[in-house]
Amino acid sequence: EREIRGWAAPAGDAVAAVLVSIDGHVLVAEVGRLRPDVARVRPSAPSALRSGWVAEVDLRSFDGREIVIDAYVVRDSGLVDQLPRRIAKVVATRLAHFVSPRDDDEVAADFAPVQGVALSSEPVARVELFVNGQPAGPARLYAEPSPEVDVRSIPWSGVAAFSSLVDVRRFEPGERVSITGTVTSLSGAATPVMPARVVVGAPSVAPFDAAAVEHLRETIARVAVPRATNARDTRLVMVTHDLGLGGGQLYLTELARQLQHRVSWPMLVITQRDGALRGSLEDAGIAVHVCGDFPLGDPVAYESKLLELATVVRDFGGNIVLSNTMLAAIGADLARRVDLPSVLAIHESYGFDEFFAVGYPPGTPHPVVRDQIHAALTHSAAVVFEADSTRMLYEVEGDPRRFVTVRYGVPVDEIEEYVKATDQSDLRRRHGLPEDATILLCMGTIEPRKAQAMLASSFADVATRHPEAMLVMVGDRDDIYCRALRTLIDTLGLADRVHLVPIVDDTRPWYRMADVLVSASDLESMPRSILEAMAYGLPVVAARAFGVAEIVEDEVTGWLFEPRDAAALGQALDRVLGLPAHVRREVAGAASELVRERHDSSGYGAAYERLLSGLAVDPGTPPADLLRSC
C-alpha cells in the first residue's frame, strides 16, 4: 500500500478535484494538503499553500511491474489539466523501518547504533525508540543521503532518516532483543517502525603484546619530571584534540588568553591535530607541539604515544597538565603516569561508556586502554565541567569531591565594545541581507547533532506565516551532511530564505546582524554560541539539552523546546517570531545581564588560575576549597 502525491496550483483558479489513473484504474485524491514549499515558489497562486493532493492506492498486485500514472486536475471553472505522465516500477518497501540493525544482526553488548527511515506524506515531528518495549529516548532527525530516500520526491524526506544509540548493556550475550519505534508526524499521526530483532554479541578483545606494554609502562614511570614548589613556578601543559575552529578549541584558547593576563607561567599546548588557532597561540608566546593521532585501539601504540608525550613534557619542564575534553583524556593519563597533578576539563555531554560508543569505531578504545583512561579520570586532582548537568553524568565514575563546575565565559566587554562600534543595517547591506528582515541565526559547525536539517524543516513549516523571517546558518563545510542539507533546503523551496555560510574566523558580524539565535542542537554542555548571542543582546531559542537549561530560562532569558522534536521546534519558532519586537528585546536584556553577571571570561580565568596554581603545589587540595572565593 502506498500514497501517490503531488501538487496543483493553477493561476487564478481553485482545484475542485484531482483524479489519478494507475494503469487505467481511476482514484479520487484527497486535496487541500499543506504545501508551504509550493507557496514560496508560486506566491501569486491563491491556492498554493493548500495545493497538495494525496491518493491512497493498494499497489501490492503490481509488485515488480512498471505502472503508468496519470493525474487530472479539475478546476472550479470546469477546466481540466493533465499533469505530466509518470512511469514507475513498483518495489515492495516499508515506510518506517530500520536500515541497521536488521533482524538477526548481532550488536555489541554496549550502545548499539541504530539508523532508520521514516517516510511520510507530511513532515516527521519525532521518532521515539524502544528496547523490549521500554523507552530508549527520541532518535535524531537528520539530512543524509540514503538509497532508500529520494529527497526530491518528498520535500521533507531529508529529515526522514533517523539515528540513535540504544543502550543494551543490561542484556547478556546471546539474548534476543527487540528494537522498535514510533514515528509521529506534525499532525500527530503515529506510524510504527518495523521491529528489528537482534542478538546481543559477546565482547571480542584484540590480542596485544603484554610484555611490550609492561616494558613501556616501566619506561614511562622512570621519566623524571619536576614538581612545583610554589605557584610562581607553575609550568602549564595543555593537551587537546584539535586546534581548528570549534567550541572546545575556543574554550582552550580563551582560557590561555585569560591566564596570560593574570600570570607569567610558561605554557605548552600538545595537540593531535593542527588548526587555525595555532597561530594565535604561538603569537601569544605559547609553544605548540603537534603529536599526531592519539592511538586508542592498540595498547602498544597507546603506551608508545604516552612515552613520546612524557619526554615532551619533561623537556618543557611541565609540572601540571590540563587536558581539554574527553577526546584528549590521554593527557590525564600522561599526568598520572609521571606523577603530575592533572586537571581534566570535560565538555562532552555523554557518560563515560557512551562517549566511546559515539566517538570511536566498535572495539575502540581497546579494553586495556579504556581501563587506563578511566583510572586517569578517577585519579585526576580535579575534573572540571561547564554545567552541573554534565558533572552529574560523571560523578558515579570517581570521587565527586574532585568533580567541580566552573562556569564558562565569553569576553563580555569586548563584545559590548563591538556592538557600540558597529551598525546592524550597515553590516546587513555589506553582506547582502535585507535590512528589514527578522534574521534567525544558527551558529556552529553544521553536523547531525546540531540538528540544522531539523531546523530547516521546521522553519519551512512556519516561513509562510512569517514572510519577514530569514534563517542564516554559519558553519557550512564540504561534506556529505552539508551537501544533503543544501539539497533539502532547495527541495523545500527555501533557497531565498535560508543562507548557508561557511565556517568563519570572525563570527562577530553575524551575531551583530541577527535578531534571534536558534540552537536546535540535542547535545550541548554550555554552548559558547548561546553565551555569545546573549552578550550580543540576542534572545535565544534553544533545545533543552543538558546545560542549556542552566542559562536559558523559558520566557525569562530565552525560550526552550524539547530536543529532537521538529514539532516542538516549529512551535517555538512560530511563538517567538509572532512576539512583538519589544518583548524579544526585554528577554534579550535579561539574558545579557545574566551573562555579564555569571559568564564573563574573566571569571573562569580567575577560577582556573586559583585551581591550577593551588593543585600544582598541593594536588591533594579539594578543588572546591580552591574555588570557594571565585
Side-chain angles (χ1 to χ4, degrees):
E1 296 179 1
R2 192 174 174 89
E3 294 177 337
I4 308 294
R5 62 182 73 82
W7 62 270
D13 207 346
V15 174
V18 173
L19 304 179
V20 179
S21 169
I22 300 174
D23 277 6
H25 301 278
V26 179
L27 304 167
V28 179
E30 178 189 340
V31 298
R33 291 289 186 97
L34 280 171
R35 286 297 296 262
D37 55 318
V38 177
R40 277 186 290 278
V41 297
R42 296 177 65 93
S44 61
S47 59
L49 181 58
R50 292 192 171 275
S51 60
W53 55 262
V54 175
E56 294 186 0
V57 55
D58 188 345
L59 294 172
R60 287 174 291 187
S61 62
F62 297 96
D63 189 18
R65 288 176 45 192
E66 282 193 344
I67 58 173
V68 177
I69 305 173
D70 291 306
Y72 304 89
V73 178
V74 182
R75 305 191 190 191
D76 274 353
S77 63
L79 293 175
V80 177
D81 301 314
Q82 181 175 2
L83 299 181
R85 170 172 285 181
R86 293 289 181 90
I87 298 176
K89 185 174 182 179
V90 178
V91 179
T93 186
R94 294 167 290 180
L95 293 182
H97 63 279
F98 293 111
V99 175
S100 66
R102 295 185 182 273
D103 276 352
D104 299 321
D105 281 356
E106 186 176 283
V107 299
D110 194 6
F111 287 88
V114 169
Q115 291 185 308
V117 172
L119 295 177
S120 172
S121 61
E122 60 177 323
V124 173
R126 59 189 170 274
V127 177
E128 296 284 345
L129 298 178
F130 304 86
V131 176
N132 281 3
Q134 297 300 309
R140 175 180 290 153
L141 306 178
Y142 63 107
E144 188 168 300
S146 167
E148 306 191 35
V149 178
D150 179 2
V151 73
R152 290 178 175 83
S153 66
I154 308 172
W156 39 81
S157 63
V159 288
F162 62 86
S163 68
S164 191
L165 285 176
V166 297
D167 187 352
V168 295
R169 290 175 298 174
R170 65 183 184 274
F171 300 104
E172 295 294 327
E175 280 194 68
R176 297 187 69 84
V177 174
S178 177
I179 302 173
T180 58
T182 300
V183 179
T184 303
S185 68
L186 286 184
S187 67
T191 302
V193 181
M194 299 293 290
R197 300 172 181 87
V198 300
V199 179
V200 177
S204 60
V205 179
F208 66 97
D209 189 337
V213 167
E214 187 59 33
H215 174 71
L216 286 164
R217 288 180 181 174
E218 291 172 357
T219 306
I220 294 167
R222 289 196 297 268
V223 175
V225 293
R227 291 292 297 270
T229 56
N230 60 68
R232 293 188 304 276
D233 294 335
T234 302
R235 296 178 68 87
L236 176 61
V237 176
M238 295 177 278
V239 182
T240 193
H241 66 292
D242 184 81
L243 290 180
L245 296 171
Q249 299 93 309
L250 291 169
Y251 178 101
L252 184 74
T253 53
E254 177 66 19
L255 174 58
R257 191 172 73 115
Q258 287 296 322
L259 290 173
Q260 283 196 314
H261 289 165
R262 299 173 172 278
V263 294
S264 56
W265 302 339
M267 299 184 201
L268 167 68
V269 171
I270 296 174
T271 177
Q272 69 170 345
R273 289 191 296 273
D274 209 343
L277 296 173
R278 178 179 183 173
S280 61
L281 290 169
E282 292 182 330
D283 290 345
I286 298 172
V288 175
H289 174 80
V290 180
C291 69
D293 288 343
F294 302 145
L296 303 182
D298 175 61
V300 175
Y302 178 77
E303 297 293 333
S304 298
K305 179 62 69 175
L306 275 178
L307 178 57
E308 172 197 329
L309 299 184
T311 59
V312 171
V313 172
R314 179 200 61 197
D315 294 345
F316 174 71
N319 50 35
I320 187 167
V321 178
L322 167 64
S323 304
N324 182 52
T325 79
M326 274 293 293
L327 291 166
I330 189 174
D333 196 16
L334 168 67
R336 179 176 70 98
R337 302 295 190 86
V338 297
D339 195 27
L340 285 181
S342 166
V343 176
L344 174 57
I346 296 179
H347 305 266
E348 297 88 350
S349 293
Y350 295 108
F352 183 81
D353 292 335
E354 189 177 7
F355 167 75
F356 292 112
V358 170
Y360 297 93
T364 308
H366 191 283
V368 170
V369 175
R370 188 183 184 121
D371 289 345
Q372 298 305 303
I373 293 175
H374 191 271
L377 169 67
T378 59
H379 286 84
S380 289
V383 184
V384 178
F385 301 86
E386 303 164 23
D388 291 333
S389 57
T390 313
R391 174 176 52 79
M392 288 187 286
L393 281 176
Y394 276 84
E395 284 187 339
V396 298
E397 306 294 345
D399 183 352
R401 294 172 297 179
R402 296 283 174 190
F403 292 30
V404 293
T405 301
V406 174
R407 303 290 179 193
Y408 186 28
V410 293
V412 174
D413 288 340
E414 293 178 18
I415 289 172
E416 290 181 351
E417 288 174 9
Y418 181 83
V419 171
K420 292 176 183 176
T422 53
D423 178 75
Q424 185 187 73
S425 296
D426 178 59
L427 286 172
R428 287 187 177 187
R429 282 193 298 271
R430 281 194 268 161
H431 286 82
L433 296 176
E435 294 179 46
D436 58 349
T438 300
I439 295 180
L440 305 174
L441 172 67
C442 177
M443 177 67 71
T445 305
I446 293 176
E447 56 182 306
R449 76 177 178 88
K450 292 187 179 291
Q452 288 95 343
M454 187 177 76
L455 174 56
S457 178
S458 295
F459 180 71
D461 188 49
V462 305
T464 304
R465 294 191 293 277
H466 303 282
E468 79 292 349
M470 293 183 64
L471 175 60
V472 175
M473 301 184 189
V474 178
D476 190 16
R477 51 187 178 175
D478 188 23
D479 62 13
I480 189 170
Y481 180 71
C482 291
R483 291 192 291 273
L485 177 60
R486 293 185 206 116
T487 301
L488 173 65
I489 290 168
D490 289 342
T491 306
L492 289 168
L494 291 172
D496 60 336
R497 303 281 299 275
V498 179
H499 292 249
L500 295 187
V501 179
I503 296 172
V504 295
D505 292 336
D506 187 1
T507 59
R508 296 177 301 172
W510 297 101
Y511 284 114
R512 187 70 178 95
M513 289 185 286
D515 296 293
V516 178
L517 180 91
V518 183
S519 174
S521 178
D522 58 48
L523 195 80
E524 296 289 355
S525 183
M526 185 65 66
R528 181 184 178 92
S529 61
I530 290 182
L531 295 175
E532 286 181 326
M534 289 176 160
Y536 275 93
L538 300 183
V540 174
V541 180
R544 194 190 301 270
F546 294 95
V548 171
E550 295 175 31
I551 51 175
V552 179
E553 183 180 353
D554 196 38
E555 296 189 324
V556 177
T557 55
W559 296 271
L560 295 171
F561 61 91
E562 292 306 309
R564 301 186 176 185
D565 190 324
L569 171 55
Q571 290 163 6
L573 294 177
D574 202 20
R575 172 187 180 192
V576 173
L577 288 170
L579 289 171
H582 73 87
V583 175
R584 293 200 295 263
R585 285 195 297 269
E586 289 171 5
V587 172
S592 180
E593 187 64 25
L594 173 73
V595 170
R596 170 165 282 283
E597 290 178 358
R598 293 177 50 192
H599 293 282
D600 188 274
S601 55
S602 61
Y604 95 108
Y608 264 105
E609 178 195 353
R610 294 182 65 86
L611 189 64
L612 292 166
S613 60
L615 294 175
V617 176
D618 182 6
T621 307
D625 291 351
L626 295 170
L627 296 172
R628 191 159 287 127
S629 61
C630 294

